[in-house]
Amino acid sequence: MRPRPRPHPPINGRGIFTGTGLIITGLAATLAALIFPIWSYTDRSGTGVDVLNAETVSTRFGPLSGLDRDFVTKVRLAGLWELPAGRLAQQKGTTPAVRTAGRHLIDGHVFLDERARDVASRLGLALPNEPTDQQKEWLATLNAAQGVTYDREFANILRLAHGKVFSVVAQVRASTRNSLVRALADDANTTVLDHIKVLEATGYVDFDALARHMAAGNAPPLTPAPAPPGPTTDPGPVVPLTPPPSPTYPLPPPATSPPPNIPGNSNQVRDNGGGLAAQ
């Protein structure tokens, strides 16, 4: 008779299949998942700083970023529609304050447009030669308005546009590494602030409506300037820049500005597809 086999104790698990082994395996997998993305992106282009600098090119005057090019374009675009708006204000404005604001627009943008074209030439940038569709609509609105309605349209549309540009100027001035763009931002800052003041001095700016539109981010569209294919040619030495002209026309005292509320006219401001306009 064959002896009965001796029973063996049950196997609870060995190696990685034990409870401790499973915990260690899980921790190792987690660590690998954390390390792999860092390793896999090492020395790769198109990530991190490379993405931020993708549109930046080298120039004699320092790095030129995509934001720098957009800014020069915006200065040019502002002149293309605000110069006609200023001339129109001198013809159609019903008060000295509105006509004074128009003269400031002309003086400021004649100067800034010349500066922007000079900077673009040195940096090899192409600039637009006509306003955007939105800016053409604003000019059409001003052309169609008459009397006090025109005064309100002019003050509110231009004040909204200048407020948006003012924030762009600050961003560029704080971040640019290009000496030509930095100097243009200084000139634009002085000119835009002067225009904001004379527009507010008309007495027609609806600040409540302006605050709502600014909070909503209802900004004039940006037309990006084309990026140069590579480093620009030698633009020559830096020439000292002419400071912005001193205001030729003093701000009118508040007493000469008509009150915003005039019988028979509403002081509400409506959104005419991108700008402020009075009803």
Side-chain angles (χ1 to χ4, degrees), residues 122-148:
R122 296 186 182 195
L123 296 175
L125 302 179
L127 293 179
N129 290 317
E130 62 178 26
T132 65
D133 291 340
Q134 175 66 87
Q135 292 166 343
K136 291 177 181 178
E137 290 180 11
W138 288 338
L139 285 173
T141 298
L142 296 177
N143 274 305
Q146 301 293 332
V148 176

Side-chain angles (χ1 to χ4, degrees), residues 63 65 67-68 168-178 181-182 185:
S65 69
L67 178 61
D68 294 338
V168 175
V169 173
Q171 181 183 4
V172 171
R173 182 60 181 82
S175 63
T176 185
R177 294 177 289 165
N178 187 281
V181 174
R182 188 179 302 117

Side-chain angles (χ1 to χ4, degrees), residues 82-197:
E82 291 182 31
L83 271 170
R87 296 188 183 103
L88 196 63
Q90 290 193 289
Q91 299 171 10
K92 300 180 66 172
T94 66
T95 70
V98 172
R99 293 191 292 271
T100 294
R103 289 195 295 268
H104 278 246
L105 289 178
I106 295 171
D107 290 345
H109 283 289
V110 165
F111 170 73
L112 279 184
D113 189 66
E114 181 180 351
R115 290 280 293 106
R117 287 186 286 111
D118 177 64
V119 169
S121 175
R122 296 186 182 195
L123 296 175
L125 302 179
L127 293 179
N129 290 317
E130 62 178 26
T132 65
D133 291 340
Q134 175 66 87
Q135 292 166 343
K136 291 177 181 178
E137 290 180 11
W138 288 338
L139 285 173
T141 298
L142 296 177
N143 274 305
Q146 301 293 332
V148 176
T149 299
Y150 168 81
D151 293 339
R152 288 202 179 98
E153 296 273 12
F154 168 77
N156 285 287
I157 291 176
L158 270 298
R159 177 58 180 84
L160 174 65
H162 278 80
K164 292 296 185 178
V165 171
F166 201 42
S167 62
V168 175
V169 173
Q171 181 183 4
V172 171
R173 182 60 181 82
S175 63
T176 185
R177 294 177 289 165
N178 187 281
S179 61
L180 289 182
V181 174
R182 188 179 302 117
L184 180 61
D186 286 340
D187 294 337
N189 181 75
T190 301
T191 303
V192 173
L193 181 57
D194 171 68
H195 292 175
I196 286 175
K197 289 179 178 180

